[in-house]
Amino acid sequence: MASRGRRPEHGGPPELFYDENEARKYVRNSRMIDIQTRMAGRALELLYLPENKPCYLLDIGCGTGLSGSYLSDEGHYWVGLDISPAMLDEAVDREIEGDLLLGDMGQGIPFKPGTFDGCISISAVQWLCNANKKSENPAKRLYCFFASLFSVLVRGSRAVLQLYPESSEQLELITTQATKAGFSGGMVVDYPNSAKAKKFYLCLFSGPSTFIPEGLSENQDEDEPRESVFTNKRVPFRMSRRGMVRKSRAWVLEKKEQYRRQGREVRPDTQYTGRKRKPRF
């Protein structure tokens, strides 16, 4: 358990912190329920889903199903993933409408490619930035999470992850691994000048990134909603945008440049890079 004044993730792994006593707070504390529900509503708003169309969504760190209940009220279908048995037990007792799965998001999301139309997560991703075992590497766990999330999303859909970053370095670690996994997007900060109301939402795009939504402030006019465009194509956006042919010289140069940005060791480019070689007999 985390001591008073410390962040919860500093007190040990989430499956131990969110025990039966902690889980009961999420179904009995009206303030916690209200905050959780409002953040789920904001995350759903940032997904910019097509209007009047039920979608199949993923809720990472679903807990007792508070955010999932909001998704159901809005007419969507959803699956919740959480590492805490106690939290999921409370969700079952509440007879929520979504499906529940016990699992560690740091080990990947076990669904087929293109399963979900979008993803939300409330106060969960920052837990991956802490190593509770010697064998755990935060960067690798984050990459595994984001890579599998990128896979299970329909191309052109979004993921909105509400989180509480501990520092700018931790935020950079999270966004770097998301980018390595193929996502584009950015951070939306609501009420940046408020100590209590300030909230961080990482908006990730699994396809063409049209715009980064603006954060809320105390004096702000509402913009017209903009929708995500779904497609069944599984071609990475950068290459489809540039019309690259797989294994062509331009494709090879793009891949090498991507590897260089990731810090990998890559051979220098030459006039022979990407050249088609004759088969040997």
Side-chain angles (χ1 to χ4, degrees), residues 210-228:
T210 55
F211 73 103
I212 303 294
E214 294 185 0
L216 300 178
S217 60
E218 294 181 358
N219 298 318
Q220 184 180 34
D221 295 330
E222 293 187 358
D223 296 328
E224 294 183 359
R226 309 174 192 179
E227 299 177 357
S228 300

Side-chain angles (χ1 to χ4, degrees), residues 52-279:
N52 302 320
K53 177 185 176 182
C55 294
Y56 193 45
L57 305 176
L58 176 64
D59 184 5
I60 299 293
C62 64
T64 59
L66 294 177
S67 52
S69 295
Y70 184 89
L71 298 179
S72 296
D73 293 341
E74 294 297 315
H76 299 295
Y77 306 98
W78 60 280
V79 174
L81 174 70
D82 202 280
I83 197 173
S84 168
M87 297 287 273
L88 293 179
D89 286 343
E90 288 289 347
V92 172
D93 291 341
R94 294 179 59 241
E95 298 182 351
I96 58 174
E97 296 182 13
D99 297 320
L100 302 174
L101 178 65
L102 177 66
D104 179 6
M105 60 180 172
Q107 295 181 357
I109 302 172
F111 289 94
K112 294 181 179 180
T115 299
F116 297 101
D117 300 320
C119 169
I120 69 168
S121 177
I122 308 299
S123 310
V125 176
Q126 69 269 8
W127 283 91
L128 293 178
C129 297
N130 294 271
N132 296 299
K133 304 176 183 177
K134 290 184 178 180
S135 58
E136 290 184 350
N137 183 307
K140 290 183 178 180
R141 284 171 55 79
L142 280 165
Y143 178 77
C144 180
F145 164 65
F146 283 120
S148 60
L149 177 60
F150 187 88
S151 173
V152 302
L153 289 177
V154 173
R155 290 292 77 82
S157 61
R158 302 185 181 193
V160 177
L161 316 176
Q162 186 276 328
L163 66 155
Y164 292 105
E166 184 176 4
S167 62
S168 57
E169 291 77 14
Q170 187 180 92
L171 191 58
E172 182 178 1
L173 172 65
I174 294 172
T175 55
T176 298
Q177 298 308 313
T179 303
K180 286 178 61 177
F183 283 109
S184 58
M187 185 66 64
V188 174
V189 183
D190 286 351
Y191 307 107
N193 298 322
S194 173
K196 293 184 178 180
K198 186 176 183 179
K199 295 292 185 294
F200 291 84
Y201 295 88
L202 180 59
C203 297
L204 301 175
F205 310 136
S206 64
S209 54
T210 55
F211 73 103
I212 303 294
E214 294 185 0
L216 300 178
S217 60
E218 294 181 358
N219 298 318
Q220 184 180 34
D221 295 330
E222 293 187 358
D223 296 328
E224 294 183 359
R226 309 174 192 179
E227 299 177 357
S228 300
V229 179
F230 295 158
T231 175
N232 292 326
K233 294 182 179 180
R234 305 234 6 117
V235 180
F237 169 62
R238 290 179 181 175
M239 298 183 182
S240 63
R241 178 183 61 181
R242 300 178 185 180
M244 294 183 183
V245 178
R246 187 175 178 83
K247 301 298 184 180
S248 66
R249 177 179 171 82
W251 185 91
V252 173
L253 291 174
E254 171 71 14
K255 293 294 290 185
K256 293 179 71 174
E257 183 61 29
Q258 179 183 351
Y259 291 154
R260 291 190 184 100
R261 290 195 298 267
Q262 296 174 0
R264 302 189 190 183
E265 185 177 350
V266 182
R267 292 183 178 180
D269 299 334
T270 68
Q271 58 179 331
Y272 303 109
T273 300
R275 185 184 66 173
K276 293 184 178 180
R277 302 181 184 275
K278 295 181 179 180

